[in-house]
Amino acid sequence: MAARSTPHLVEAAEIAAEHGLTPARISSLYLERETSGFPEVAGQRGRARQWDKSDVDKWFAQRKKSPRLQQHKPPKLDPDELLTGAQASRFLGYKNPQQVNTYVRDHPGYFPDPDVVEELGTAERPYRRPKWRVQTLLEWKDTRPGSGKRSIERAAPALPDVPVDGDPDELLGASQAAALLGFKSVNSFSSSLGQGNLPLLKTVDATSEKGGRRRWTRRRILEQAAQRKAK
């Protein structure tokens, strides 16, 4: 008899990041499994449920896509034109003009980072306005997670090779942090961060001048890695 291969187990944060949902929504689908048909858990890591990835992939592959979003054809615009969150929402076919802003706020890692962030307001009351290029939105739309089976033609970018013994005070970005923490992608790292599973990285050490991207010191990332490994 052939030996059964060890299943690849994934947690709610990883599933959510891959399919454009929140970890809470994954848990809800599981609790409603009698009607949703969501797979049974295959293991547990601490308090976190784990599922066999092949079972989850099959479930999402069979899930019906949204006909309205599938049939929506964005208007023809200059690929370099910049759109605000509300404009981007309408461009992508969402009824809610705040949908893109909601993605950015509530689902870190799911939607692409803005191409430009305008610093507006006054010194007393500053605010920032993110904008995305049309080309960025079109590329995301073509490979958007969460609408049935994910495109297999475009694999997630490989994470960088980050040395553990580098300068402890060096500032590292999300992809570098994901690599040091053992995540498979920036999306799964960002989703886990947004879910509160990485408390030592809740606050950032700095943000980049261009785009305001998050930065943490290697020391804090490694402390979080050690805490995560100990669980």
Side-chain angles (χ1 to χ4, degrees):
M1 180 182 293
R4 185 177 179 181
S5 60
T6 303
H8 176 193
L9 300 181
V10 290
E11 298 177 12
E14 295 173 274
I15 300 170
E18 182 171 356
H19 295 283
L21 301 173
T22 64
R25 179 56 180 152
I26 299 300
S27 296
S28 176
L29 288 168
Y30 169 69
L31 295 175
E32 299 166 359
R33 60 190 179 281
E34 289 189 4
T35 54
S36 70
F38 199 76
E40 291 284 352
V41 294
Q44 194 147 337
R45 180 174 173 271
R47 297 177 60 186
R49 301 185 184 100
Q50 294 180 314
W51 287 266
D52 185 330
K53 190 175 187 303
S54 63
D55 292 340
V56 174
D57 288 344
K58 288 177 184 177
W59 187 84
F60 275 100
Q62 295 168 0
R63 193 182 187 203
K64 290 183 178 180
K65 300 181 181 181
S66 167
R68 183 179 62 79
L69 288 179
Q70 271 195 297
Q71 295 168 8
H72 173 73
K73 293 183 178 180
K76 291 185 178 181
L77 299 175
D78 184 334
D80 290 325
E81 182 174 346
L82 291 167
L83 303 182
T84 64
Q87 292 169 329
S89 298
R90 291 191 289 270
F91 177 78
L92 292 169
Y94 292 108
K95 291 182 178 180
N96 178 5
Q98 294 304 314
Q99 187 62 61
V100 164
N101 291 328
T102 298
Y103 280 152
V104 173
R105 184 187 68 233
D106 297 341
H107 311 300
Y110 173 61
F111 202 74
D113 288 336
D115 294 295
V116 171
V117 178
E118 296 178 342
E119 303 290 344
L120 302 171
T122 63
E124 293 75 22
R125 301 186 67 179
Y127 71 94
R128 309 171 80 204
R129 181 164 61 193
K131 289 186 173 183
W132 291 262
R133 289 190 174 87
V134 167
Q135 185 61 39
T136 300
L137 299 174
L138 290 173
E139 290 176 356
W140 179 81
K141 178 180 180 296
D142 289 341
T143 56
R144 179 179 59 230
S147 55
K149 189 174 182 180
R150 192 171 187 174
S151 171
I152 60 175
E153 286 78 11
R154 176 175 294 187
L159 294 177
D161 184 13
V162 186
V164 174
D165 57 354
D167 180 357
D169 293 319
E170 181 183 0
L171 292 170
L172 305 177
S175 62
Q176 295 163 308
L180 285 175
L181 288 163
F183 286 97
K184 295 183 181 298
S185 68
V186 175
N187 280 356
S188 56
F189 160 74
S190 295
S191 181
S192 187
L193 180 65
Q195 192 183 8
N197 294 332
L198 306 172
L200 299 184
L201 304 183
K202 184 177 181 180
T203 57
V204 298
D205 292 304
T207 55
S208 65
E209 292 183 6
K210 183 178 180 181
R213 299 190 180 188
R214 302 164 292 179
R215 296 287 185 266
W216 300 268
T217 62
R218 179 183 273 102
R219 178 185 289 106
R220 288 184 63 204
I221 295 170
L222 292 177
E223 288 174 354
Q224 181 64 80
Q227 185 185 91
R228 186 169 182 258
K229 187 176 181 180
K231 289 185 178 180

